[in-house]
Amino acid sequence: MTFSGWLRRAGERPAHEPPPGPARVRASAGAVGLLTALLSCGTCHTPVRVDAASKIVRHGPDRTTHPLRVAEDTRAWVLEWDCPGCDSPSTFTLPKVLPG
Ligand SMILES: [Zn+2]
């Protein structure tokens, strides 16, 4: 086999490669603070308040809490939770430093 043929073969990927993790719905941002944000679900538009410091999602008039998973990127917090309204796996990237 030629070298270029080997390179081409090395770059091939299986046709049905599974996606990395479950497909998450990106929430849309309302008011974004440094460690908190008011978001609405990308699917059902349920408003939620996420608190990255406490790792909780608050929802509804009685502020029911739900668990929030927080992963740290170099410039942002990557937040993941299950929507309290429709159970969609949701995600939002919260910048560590506010723009401007
Ligand atoms: Zn929802």
Side-chain angles (χ1 to χ4, degrees):
M1 191 188 294
T2 63
F3 182 62
S4 62
W6 181 85
L7 276 181
R8 211 161 36 240
R9 172 161 293 223
E12 284 174 10
R13 291 178 182 275
H16 297 288
E17 196 175 0
R24 293 194 166 265
V25 179
R26 188 162 291 276
S28 54
V32 177
L34 271 180
L35 278 167
T36 61
L38 281 167
L39 308 172
S40 55
C41 174
T43 302
C44 72
H45 306 293
T46 291
V48 295
R49 176 187 286 273
V50 295
D51 187 330
S54 306
K55 297 187 179 180
I56 51 175
V57 175
R58 291 183 202 277
H59 159 250
D62 54 354
R63 306 229 161 211
T64 311
T65 58
H66 299 266
L68 175 71
R69 289 174 294 285
V70 181
E72 188 171 2
D73 205 342
T74 45
R75 303 186 64 172
W77 306 100
V78 181
L79 313 176
E80 292 182 352
W81 69 98
D82 294 325
C83 173
C86 67
D87 268 346
S88 284
S90 302
T91 187
F92 185 75
T93 304
L94 182 65
K96 286 180 179 176
V97 179
L98 290 174

